[in-house]
Amino acid sequence: MFIGREAELRFLEDKYSDPNGQLIVLYGRRRVGKTETLKEFCKGKPHLFYSCTQSTDKAQLSKFSKQLLKENIPAKHYISKFENWENLFYAFLDLPHGERKKLIVIDEFPYMCKGNPSIPSILQNLWDSEFKDSNIMIILCGSSMSFIENKLLAEKNPLYGRATGIYKMKEMGFYDAIQFFPNYSPRDKVITYAVLGGIPHYLRQWNPEFSVDENIKKNVLTKGCALYSEVEFLLHEELRETPMYNSIIEAVALGNTRLNDISQKSLIEDTAKTSVYLKNLIELGIVEKELSVDAKIKEKANSNRGIYRLTDNFFRFWYSFGFTNFSELEDGDAEGVYEYIVKSALHEFTSLPFEDVCKAFVRELQRDNALPFRYSKLGRWMGNTTIRNSNAPNGVSFAETEVDILAIGHDAKEYLVGECKFKKTPFSYSEYLDVVAKLMPLKENAKFYYALFSENGFDDKISNEAQEKDLLLYSLDDIVNYRSTHPAKR
């Protein structure tokens, strides 16, 4: 059963229904579900779907020729294969699709270009002279994001400015991901998302008939299962110096978010070298650099500002528990690693991904106009706040702090301050007061609303105060079940 990707399919359908020629570039990191989405889009449409291989140019041309010549085109009666790529691509116009759009998908297009760097130029010439005014839709798909962005689409490259649509696919959001295990409790849905994230390939390895515990033991930590070697496979496929990248990813997974801390933890003396490794991981969609939601342009340009975090939940889980206990797992002790290491830490591990779940919930509220105002920015706030300190001048000092969620209105006169608690006790009133104190630097001439998100409810004092102030309270059920309880608004 195909799940999710409504936005991607809607984008492709809109392009397909356009009467003009279409050249679409769809790309994203490995395992994100590009091929499955394209196959779902092609269902019920006459199409040609070619998957490139890592082979020589001659072998690639021969393979594509055989597939194209299986179609009822005039050339099939005279040749056994095309002599060159220009002739092959030109034959797209002869596909027997009648009045419907001639739909051609070339999957893993970078492999084809690696074998023959002139292919983008060949396509450009044919696009300019023939395809752009024809009833044709060519989709170029690839997993090598650096190639797509820096070579295929960048200025001065042949296909620059020719694409009629460019779509970068990312991992599924929380609400799509949890459709893979619909019968789980809200808590187990959040924990499972914290382990797997939104990569469809990972989600398909999960057996929704098993408990979270059993799935982690059998489908993640057991040697030989699909996810056990997944991280190692991806790194070897995309990167050299994998031991160095392993050290850096492990450092970030274990909570080292600043450049200096990552360098020290991974034993790399040169922070400039660490920055290069991190940049490569960012290009692969494994790491992201996060700045405060209200960061100005100058601050964004400062390479020393911001924190690093893993964007892939499964990478974070593996480097937190699998990579650090690899010897025991290789010996077949998945049960012991889970019972004595993972089980006790899993709840706390989930607290960070829970913040992303809450952000997804806030986006749902915005789409349904269910917030006090429309925001223009949403993210984490990082800055300084004042704290009482009897030893400091004037009795106060400054300390770095963070707010889990800050939504900023279009005129920066309204703010929604959110705090997320995934813990086994109710959200306490003192914790709420801490949240209020953090944003004192932004208080001038602004209207503040507060949103508290809690796994286990709220104490009585917060509940009573919410009836009188601009305080919004959201339980785990409210968050996880939002789409199912508000279907009419979608």
Side-chain angles (χ1 to χ4, degrees):
M1 182 177 65
F2 186 83
I3 293 175
R5 298 304 188 194
E6 288 88 355
E8 288 84 351
L9 292 172
R10 188 164 53 248
F11 164 78
L12 292 169
E13 291 290 351
D14 287 346
K15 294 298 182 181
Y16 185 78
S17 62
D18 191 301
N20 299 310
Q22 297 294 319
L23 180 62
I24 307 299
V25 177
L26 185 142
Y27 71 108
R29 56 158 289 189
R30 294 187 187 280
R31 308 299 203 193
V32 83
K34 302 180 297 298
T35 301
E36 292 82 356
T37 301
L38 288 171
K39 288 183 175 178
E40 182 70 16
F41 165 67
C42 289
K43 282 182 179 178
K45 302 178 181 71
H47 67 277
L48 176 69
F49 198 113
Y50 177 72
S51 297
C52 300
T53 56
Q54 296 192 60
S55 56
T56 64
D57 183 53
K58 286 185 178 180
Q60 194 90 255
L61 179 61
S62 176
K63 183 182 176 185
F64 203 163
S65 293
K66 288 178 182 178
Q67 186 162 340
L68 181 54
L69 289 169
K70 289 178 182 178
E71 305 291 329
N72 188 25
I73 59 176
K76 70 175 289 186
H77 302 296
Y78 305 103
I79 60 174
S80 59
K81 72 173 184 178
F82 291 93
E83 294 181 357
N84 54 57
W85 286 107
E86 185 173 8
N87 290 346
L88 185 148
F89 292 146
Y90 191 83
F92 290 166
L93 296 173
D94 292 327
L95 284 167
H97 294 176
E99 297 299 317
R100 303 187 71 179
K101 214 174 203 73
K102 300 182 191 305
L103 174 59
I104 302 98
V105 177
I106 304 178
D107 199 11
E108 291 302 348
F109 182 66
Y111 289 162
M112 185 183 288
C113 299
K114 186 177 181 181
N116 186 340
S118 68
I119 281 178
S121 295
I122 296 170
L123 267 178
Q124 176 223 315
N125 291 332
L126 283 170
W127 176 260
D128 291 345
S129 63
E130 302 288 344
F131 292 158
K132 70 178 181 180
D133 297 318
S134 302
N135 191 26
I136 193 170
M137 181 174 182
I138 301 173
I139 302 176
L140 307 178
C141 178
S143 300
S144 178
M145 295 193 288
S146 60
F147 175 87
I148 298 288
E149 293 175 345
N150 300 329
K151 294 186 177 180
L152 196 64
L153 298 176
E155 194 173 357
K156 297 183 180 179
N157 286 283
L159 291 178
Y160 174 74
R162 268 73 179 184
T164 58
I166 301 170
Y167 201 108
K168 183 176 182 178
M169 275 186 66
K170 298 183 178 180
E171 68 173 58
M172 284 182 167
F174 171 72
Y175 291 100
D176 283 339
I178 61 176
Q179 293 182 51
F180 284 84
F181 26 88
N183 297 324
Y184 272 14
S185 68
R187 179 175 291 104
D188 283 349
K189 287 178 179 179
V190 173
I191 292 173
T192 303
Y193 179 74
V195 174
L196 299 177
I199 300 296
H201 175 70
Y202 304 164
L203 293 162
R204 289 193 186 95
Q205 310 309 316
W206 205 260
N207 188 335
E209 302 302 318
F210 292 169
S211 67
V212 173
D213 293 3
E214 287 303 305
N215 267 296
I216 292 176
K217 286 184 282 189
K218 292 181 178 180
N219 294 320
V220 178
L221 300 179
T222 297
K223 184 178 180 179
C225 69
L227 292 178
Y228 184 81
S229 302
E230 173 67 15
V231 170
E232 182 181 9
F233 167 78
L234 281 177
L235 291 186
H236 279 290
E237 185 80 8
E238 299 285 355
L239 299 165
R240 303 173 185 174
E241 300 183 87
T242 50
M244 197 69 75
Y245 284 103
N246 276 327
S247 297
I248 290 172
I249 298 172
E250 182 184 21
V252 179
L254 295 178
N256 299 277
T257 60
R258 303 284 181 181
L259 182 59
N260 286 335
D261 295 335
I262 296 168
S263 287
Q264 290 176 11
K265 182 67 177 178
S266 54
L267 303 179
I268 302 174
E269 295 181 1
D270 186 356
T271 56
K273 193 174 183 180
T274 306
S275 293
V276 173
Y277 289 126
L278 286 167
K279 179 177 178 293
N280 292 337
L281 291 170
I282 290 171
E283 287 185 352
L284 289 175
I286 296 170
V287 170
E288 68 176 354
K289 187 176 183 181
E290 187 177 29
L291 293 161
S292 181
V293 65
D294 62 346
K296 303 295 188 294
I297 294 177
K298 186 176 181 181
E299 187 177 354
K300 291 178 180 178
N302 187 338
S303 60
N304 294 320
R305 302 303 297 268
I307 62 173
Y308 294 91
R309 57 174 292 188
L310 296 181
T311 58
D312 187 309
N313 286 357
F314 182 70
F315 267 68
R316 180 171 172 261
F317 179 87
W318 181 254
Y319 280 94
S320 296
F321 301 115
F323 187 76
T324 53
N325 300 284
F326 193 65
S327 295
E328 292 90 331
L329 295 178
E330 281 288 289
D331 288 338
D333 191 20
E335 187 80 29
V337 170
Y338 182 80
E339 289 298 326
Y340 294 101
I341 297 171
V342 179
K343 191 173 184 178
S344 59
L346 188 58
H347 198 273
E348 182 179 352
F349 171 86
T350 303
S351 60
L352 184 61
F354 181 60
E355 295 176 14
D356 294 327
V357 172
C358 294
K359 288 190 187 81
F361 174 61
V362 173
R363 294 187 189 99
E364 294 289 310
L365 295 176
Q366 167 111 316
R367 289 191 192 100
D368 291 341
N369 294 314
L371 292 171
F373 62 93
R374 298 282 300 180
Y375 64 80
S376 60
K377 296 180 182 179
L378 175 70
R380 182 191 306 272
W381 181 82
M382 293 173 278
N384 293 320
T385 189
T386 55
I387 57 174
R388 294 178 182 178
N389 185 348
S390 58
N391 297 321
N394 302 321
V396 296
S397 61
F398 292 94
E400 288 189 0
T401 189
E402 296 180 2
V403 170
D404 296 339
I405 296 175
L406 184 66
I408 305 174
H410 290 275
D411 57 0
K413 296 295 183 182
E414 292 179 296
Y415 294 86
L416 178 71
V417 184
E419 189 77 5
C420 314
K421 299 293 183 186
F422 195 83
K423 61 189 185 76
K424 297 178 180 180
T425 56
F427 204 124
S428 70
Y429 189 74
S430 61
E431 290 170 329
Y432 162 58
L433 293 181
D434 288 342
V435 177
V436 174
K438 287 179 181 180
L439 270 296
M440 291 304 292
L442 301 178
K443 283 283 188 179
E444 291 183 11
N445 302 317
K447 172 68 174 176
F448 275 74
Y449 302 88
Y450 294 90
L452 309 182
F453 310 88
S454 175
E455 176 196 4
N456 277 295
F458 308 88
D459 69 18
D460 292 340
K461 197 167 185 180
I462 291 181
S463 299
N464 292 334
E465 190 146 322
Q467 299 176 19
E468 303 172 7
K469 295 189 175 182
D470 296 314
L471 176 59
L472 308 171
L473 308 182
Y474 299 107
S475 69
L476 194 62
D477 284 350
D478 294 333
I479 299 164
V480 175
N481 296 325
Y482 182 78
R483 279 196 180 179
S484 60
T485 56
H486 295 74
K489 291 186 178 183
R490 298 205 56 74

